[in-house]
Amino acid sequence: MDGPVPFDDEGEAKGVEIGMPDDALVAANDQLAAAAEREGAEDAVDSAEILNLIEDCKNVREGLQLDLPKKGLLWIPNQVKSLRRLRVLNLRANQISMIPTELCETLTDLEFLSISWNRLQYLPENLSSMARLRTILLQNNQLSELPEAIGKLPLLQELRVDNNVLEALPPTIGKLALLELFTMHNNKVRDLPPSMMGLRSLKTLDITDNPLEYENIPDSLHRLNEMHELLHSKTKRRAIITRANAIRRTIRTAVRDELFAGVGQEGAGGGGAEDGGSGVY
């Protein structure tokens, strides 16, 4: 074999012992190069697809809605910042670990944000710049806290943070006067801030599977949680329907018995005077 073998001393010795011919090395290198070229081509196709979707959003959807779910994104593409009129942004099921602060300053007209099933560990404090947000979906991330800024979204109506690692909620959450639905199933929250009593518009609450002291939860919040759990639990629904049917049957039986008893008494007392005691037919 002419020329040095391209390995260190130990590798060179092993290479000589194996006795790999030059043409085999060339073939192996060619295969690796071809594989790398194919992988790069696939990445290029993915990037081209994403850019096309962003352009489609500009040209076809008037820059109002962008859907990029399940694209393997590691970050939010910079080109998204150019969509200043964006109302709906769907980034579900990617591998995004952060929301750039610049994005919050740019997409100030955004109303719907779905970034569930990603790898978010925190949210930027200037999230409040997206003051028109009505829906935020953050389920299945790695969030350990929510920023104080979450309470500065005056139009927010739906907030979902299920399946994260939240340990507490910011007191400002009680300022979300229009919030109707809040779900935080399967987190690590031990206490609810007293400010949550200020959520006057709240209709749906899910705080299940958290290490909460339920006896310390205000009754109004407790009832909302139980109602949500009830609506989403087939076992509990069946139990209630069974009890309702049993009560209905009991009432029906009691009413029927009462009616028949009354009719029987009328027949026994008045029928004989008029028609010779013919009784009830």
Side-chain angles (χ1 to χ4, degrees), residues 84-87 106-111 129-130 132:
R84 293 181 175 272
R85 300 178 59 209
L86 200 65
R87 301 288 191 277
T106 304
L107 303 184
T108 54
D109 288 340
L110 198 66
E111 298 178 1
S129 297
M130 296 178 169
R132 296 191 179 183

Side-chain angles (χ1 to χ4, degrees), residues 13-20:
K14 290 182 179 178
V16 171
E17 289 174 3
I18 293 173
M20 179 179 285

Side-chain angles (χ1 to χ4, degrees), residues 13-122:
K14 290 182 179 178
V16 171
E17 289 174 3
I18 293 173
M20 179 179 285
D22 288 346
D23 55 351
L25 281 172
V26 171
N29 287 332
D30 287 345
Q31 290 177 358
L32 289 173
E37 185 176 353
R38 286 196 301 272
E39 184 177 353
E42 289 175 0
D43 291 342
V45 169
D46 291 341
S47 298
E49 178 190 8
I50 291 166
L51 291 176
N52 286 337
L53 288 170
I54 294 174
E55 286 301 313
D56 178 71
C57 172
K58 290 181 181 179
N59 301 326
V60 179
R61 300 188 181 186
E62 300 180 347
L64 299 179
Q65 179 172 343
L66 179 61
D67 294 306
L68 296 175
K70 300 181 179 180
K71 300 300 181 186
L73 295 173
L74 298 177
W75 54 80
I76 301 175
N78 284 331
Q79 292 82 356
V80 174
K81 290 186 292 186
S82 66
L83 303 173
R84 293 181 175 272
R85 300 178 59 209
L86 200 65
R87 301 288 191 277
V88 176
L89 179 57
N90 178 9
L91 297 167
R92 181 182 183 277
N94 283 285
Q95 301 178 48
I96 298 168
S97 59
M98 62 170 290
I99 298 176
T101 56
E102 299 89 347
L103 196 73
C104 299
E105 299 291 343
T106 304
L107 303 184
T108 54
D109 288 340
L110 198 66
E111 298 178 1
F112 178 98
L113 174 61
S114 174
I115 195 165
S116 58
W117 294 91
N118 274 274
R119 298 180 178 178
L120 292 179
Q121 297 181 8
Y122 67 93

Side-chain angles (χ1 to χ4, degrees), residues 241-259:
I241 291 171
T242 300
R243 288 200 301 271
N245 287 335
I247 292 172
R248 190 179 298 118
R249 284 194 297 270
T250 302
I251 294 173
R252 188 184 299 120
T253 301
V255 170
R256 185 184 58 197
D257 291 347
E258 186 67 24
L259 287 174

Side-chain angles (χ1 to χ4, degrees), residues 22-245:
D22 288 346
D23 55 351
L25 281 172
V26 171
N29 287 332
D30 287 345
Q31 290 177 358
L32 289 173
E37 185 176 353
R38 286 196 301 272
E39 184 177 353
E42 289 175 0
D43 291 342
V45 169
D46 291 341
S47 298
E49 178 190 8
I50 291 166
L51 291 176
N52 286 337
L53 288 170
I54 294 174
E55 286 301 313
D56 178 71
C57 172
K58 290 181 181 179
N59 301 326
V60 179
R61 300 188 181 186
E62 300 180 347
L64 299 179
Q65 179 172 343
L66 179 61
D67 294 306
L68 296 175
K70 300 181 179 180
K71 300 300 181 186
L73 295 173
L74 298 177
W75 54 80
I76 301 175
N78 284 331
Q79 292 82 356
V80 174
K81 290 186 292 186
S82 66
L83 303 173
R84 293 181 175 272
R85 300 178 59 209
L86 200 65
R87 301 288 191 277
V88 176
L89 179 57
N90 178 9
L91 297 167
R92 181 182 183 277
N94 283 285
Q95 301 178 48
I96 298 168
S97 59
M98 62 170 290
I99 298 176
T101 56
E102 299 89 347
L103 196 73
C104 299
E105 299 291 343
T106 304
L107 303 184
T108 54
D109 288 340
L110 198 66
E111 298 178 1
F112 178 98
L113 174 61
S114 174
I115 195 165
S116 58
W117 294 91
N118 274 274
R119 298 180 178 178
L120 292 179
Q121 297 181 8
Y122 67 93
L123 298 174
E125 276 294 340
N126 68 339
L127 185 69
S128 55
S129 297
M130 296 178 169
R132 296 191 179 183
L133 274 172
R134 297 177 184 272
T135 299
I136 307 179
L137 308 182
L138 297 163
Q139 310 97 302
N140 298 88
N141 276 282
Q142 301 168 17
L143 295 169
S144 59
E145 63 179 3
L146 295 177
E148 297 283 335
I150 200 76
K152 299 178 182 179
L153 299 172
L155 302 181
L156 195 63
Q157 297 176 353
E158 178 177 355
L159 175 60
R160 297 179 183 267
V161 292
D162 311 271
N163 301 313
N164 278 276
V165 288
L166 296 174
E167 297 182 355
L169 299 176
T172 54
I173 198 167
K175 296 181 179 180
L176 298 174
L178 299 183
L179 191 66
E180 296 182 359
L181 184 149
F182 177 46
T183 63
M184 49 171 262
H185 168 79
N186 190 28
N187 277 276
K188 298 181 179 181
V189 177
R190 295 185 177 275
D191 297 295
L192 297 180
S195 63
M196 282 188 67
M197 291 300 296
L199 300 177
R200 302 301 184 187
S201 301
L202 197 62
K203 298 177 182 177
T204 301
L205 174 67
D206 183 6
I207 54 177
T208 55
D209 288 337
N210 281 274
L212 288 162
E213 297 291 338
Y214 283 92
E215 60 272 13
N216 296 331
I217 298 175
D219 289 343
S220 58
L221 297 180
H222 211 316
R223 284 195 298 271
L224 282 173
N225 179 61
E226 287 181 336
M227 186 182 300
H228 182 274
E229 191 175 4
L230 173 62
L231 291 173
H232 292 78
S233 170
K234 291 181 179 179
T235 304
K236 290 191 175 184
R237 284 204 304 270
R238 290 195 190 104
I240 284 187
I241 291 171
T242 300
R243 288 200 301 271
N245 287 335

